[in-house]
Amino acid sequence: MKKLLTILLVLIFSQVGYSQEQETYKPNQIRDFKLVPLPAIGSNPANGWLFGLAPSATWRMGNPETTHLSNLVGNFLYTTKKQWIFSSRSNVFLSEDKWILVGDWRYFITSQPTYGLGASTPNEPSENPNQQGVLWGEQQMNYSWVRFYETVLKRIGFSKFYLGMGYHLDVFSKVENFLDTELPPSELNFAHNFYNTQLGFDQDKYTLSGITLNGVMENRDVAVSPYENNFALVSFKVNPSFLGSDKSSSTLLLDYRHYFNLSEKRKRHLIGLWGLGNFLVSGDLPYMNLPSIGYDMFGRSGRGYAQGRFRGESMLYSEAEYRFPLQKNKETFGGTVFFNASSFGSKMTNEKLLEKINAAYGIGFRVMINKENRTTISADYGFGSKGNSGFYLNVNESF
C-alpha cells in the first residue's frame, strides 16, 4: 500500500517528465517518468463531446530490460450532455514485473440512454411485445456512479502468468428515468424500473461489492498500444451481501487479445483480435451492473454503438482490427479498419445467447504524440446495425 501511495503522490504533484541514466536499479524506484497533461477533446455517442483534461502518464519501476512500462490515464471532463466525468485507470508493474497493480476509480454525474434487455431491442421507444406494459427501446437515465476497483496480481515464478485478488465496488445512486418524447403512453414502465422491481432491487440506488479471483497472462510489449504477443484474463467475482451488495451474486469475465505482426520492420503494421465474455453465474445483478456493451475497463468495446446500447445476463463480444502506418519511414500517423460483433442473452426476455448478433464496422486515424511510450490520439467512426453509428475520439488504442 505504501508503494501504491508513493506512485499516486508522484502522479498528482509531478508536472514535468524526467529520466534517469544509471547503471544500477533500485527495486520499485520510479524512473523514466513522463506526464502528458493533455487538454481533452473527446467524443462518443453516450457522452457527446467531452472537454477538460486527460493526463496520461508512463514510468518504470525497475530495469527497463525486465520491467514493463506502467501507465495511468486520468479524465477530468465535462460534456455537452451536462455530464461530469472523473476517472483514473492504471496498470502498475513493480520491479521485474513481479507484481501488477490494476486500478479503475471513477466518479460520474452522468446520463445515458438504455434500451432494455437482450440483443433485439429497437431504437425507438415502444411497448415490449413479450412483456405488456414494459417500455422497449430508447429510454433516458440520469444517475451518479462511484466505482472503486483495485486488483493485486503476483507473477508465478519467471513466467508471464499472474494470480491475484481484487476488491470491486460499484454504487449507482440518484437514478432517474425519463423520455425525450411524449410517446409512448406514460403508463408504460421503464425497463430499468421493471427489472429492478421484479428482482427486489431499489429503483434509485443500489450497491455491488465483491472480491475477484484473477488469473492473468501479460505478454504484451506495451499495454496501452501493443505491437505483438497476447494478453488473457480470467476473473471470477463473488458479490456477497455481507460485503455490502444488495443481493448476493457471482460473475465470470473472460478476456483474450492477440496481436499478429505483418512486418518485422514495421511492427505497427498488424492485426489485433479481441474476444470478451461476461456471464452472470449465480444470483441476480442490479440493472446497471449487468454485462453491457462499452463497459470494459476503458469503454472501448462496441464501436458503432452507444455505451449501454445492449445489455443482458450474458454477453459475448469479438473484434478484429487491421492497423497500419501511413508514412513510409515515420510512425506519427497511422490508420485502422475494424469489425466487431456482439450477442446478449437475457433470462427475463427468454432471449438466448447467439440468437441475435449485432455487428459493426468502421475506420480510424491515429496520431502518435510520443513514440517512446506510444501515447496515441485515436479517432474512429463506426457504423452499427439498425442505423446506429458514432464518432469516437480517445487516447491510445482501443485494445
Side-chain angles (χ1 to χ4, degrees):
M1 181 60 71
K2 290 182 179 179
K3 297 173 183 175
L4 179 59
L5 290 174
T6 300
I7 296 167
L8 292 175
L9 288 173
V10 171
L11 292 177
I12 292 170
F13 294 107
S14 295
Q15 297 298 318
V16 296
Y18 69 88
S19 63
Q20 302 173 7
E21 295 296 335
Q22 58 187 46
E23 295 181 357
T24 58
Y25 300 93
K26 296 180 181 179
N28 302 322
Q29 178 187 21
I30 297 177
R31 51 178 290 109
D32 301 329
F33 180 82
K34 292 181 175 62
L35 175 65
V36 182
L38 287 173
I41 300 177
S43 176
N44 63 63
N47 305 115
W49 284 91
L50 307 93
F51 304 93
L53 292 175
S56 175
T58 59
W59 68 97
R60 292 190 194 272
M61 302 292 291
N63 189 334
E65 295 182 359
T66 59
T67 306
H68 273 78
L69 272 174
S70 296
N71 72 281
L72 180 146
V73 177
N75 286 296
F76 307 91
L77 305 171
Y78 183 73
T79 81
T80 53
K81 295 188 177 182
K82 300 180 180 180
Q83 305 159 338
W84 290 96
I85 296 175
F86 307 101
S87 68
S88 169
R89 283 163 280 193
S90 59
N91 281 279
V92 179
F93 294 85
L94 299 189
S95 182
E96 298 182 355
D97 290 349
K98 291 181 179 179
W99 294 84
I100 304 177
L101 310 177
V102 182
D104 183 357
W105 307 352
R106 309 183 191 186
Y107 177 60
F108 289 5
I109 302 174
T110 188
S111 59
Q112 185 179 105
T114 185
Y115 296 79
L117 301 176
S120 302
T121 52
N123 289 330
E124 298 300 323
S126 61
E127 185 174 0
N128 190 325
N130 299 317
Q131 295 168 318
Q132 292 186 354
V134 179
L135 193 60
W136 221 33
E138 183 175 358
Q139 306 149 61
Q140 297 296 325
M141 296 177 62
N142 290 334
Y143 59 92
S144 296
W145 180 20
V146 174
R147 165 174 282 189
F148 178 81
Y149 285 10
E150 194 65 39
T151 302
V152 179
L153 301 160
K154 176 70 171 67
R155 192 175 71 184
I156 307 304
F158 295 96
S159 70
K160 301 292 185 179
F161 293 91
Y162 294 78
L163 295 176
M165 297 181 64
Y167 175 67
H168 290 211
L169 172 69
D170 285 297
V171 180
F172 289 90
S173 61
K174 301 179 182 178
V175 182
E176 179 186 11
N177 295 267
F178 63 96
L179 290 175
D180 286 335
T181 176
E182 296 181 358
L183 296 174
S186 59
E187 62 265 19
L188 293 182
N189 198 358
F190 291 102
H192 167 272
N193 294 350
F194 175 79
Y195 173 91
N196 273 10
T197 300
Q198 289 291 106
L199 296 181
F201 294 105
D202 288 342
Q203 294 184 7
D204 60 348
K205 182 179 180 180
Y206 38 86
T207 300
L208 191 68
S209 174
I211 299 294
T212 57
L213 304 176
N214 305 279
V216 170
M217 179 184 68
E218 178 53 89
N219 198 28
R220 296 172 292 185
D221 53 342
V222 175
V224 295
S225 292
Y227 283 172
E228 55 190 343
N229 299 328
N230 49 7
F231 167 87
L233 165 68
V234 178
S235 181
F236 182 70
K237 184 180 177 187
V238 180
N239 308 298
S241 56
F242 66 79
L243 279 182
S245 296
D246 291 352
K247 294 180 67 174
S248 295
S249 61
S250 63
T251 60
L252 177 65
L253 175 65
L254 306 173
D255 189 335
Y256 182 74
R257 310 175 189 200
H258 205 114
Y259 307 89
F260 297 93
N261 288 125
L262 301 179
S263 170
E264 283 298 322
K265 294 182 179 180
R266 302 295 298 276
K267 289 192 173 183
R268 195 179 184 185
H269 193 211
L270 61 90
I271 292 177
L273 300 178
W274 183 14
L276 185 66
N278 198 353
F279 311 96
L280 174 63
V281 176
S282 66
D284 297 311
L285 292 171
Y287 186 88
M288 290 298 289
N289 293 110
L290 289 169
S292 181
I293 202 77
Y295 273 82
D296 51 285
M297 181 173 173
F298 289 96
R300 304 300 179 85
S301 61
R303 283 174 292 175
Y305 300 97
Q307 185 185 54
R309 177 60 183 85
F310 302 108
R311 189 183 307 271
E313 290 91 342
S314 56
M315 166 187 171
L316 284 175
Y317 177 81
S318 62
E319 181 163 349
E321 184 169 74
Y322 172 44
R323 302 173 187 171
F324 49 91
L326 290 175
Q327 296 166 288
K328 185 175 181 179
N329 297 313
K330 296 182 179 181
E331 301 296 336
T332 305
F333 300 114
T336 182
V337 178
F338 60 87
F339 175 85
N340 64 61
S342 62
S343 181
F344 289 80
S346 172
K347 295 183 294 183
M348 187 162 286
T349 61
N350 296 316
E351 184 173 344
K352 296 181 180 179
L353 194 63
L354 298 179
E355 183 177 322
K356 169 69 175 178
I357 297 175
N358 289 298
Y361 63 92
I363 58 174
F365 180 67
R366 302 289 182 266
V367 180
M368 188 177 294
I369 60 176
N370 188 309
K371 184 177 179 181
E372 184 178 354
N373 59 23
R374 300 183 195 167
T375 300
T376 303
I377 304 299
S378 62
D380 300 303
Y381 202 94
F383 303 86
S385 62
K386 304 177 182 178
N388 289 275
S389 65
F391 175 66
Y392 307 81
L393 185 62
N394 290 298
V395 178
N396 295 325
E397 295 289 354
S398 294
F399 66 92

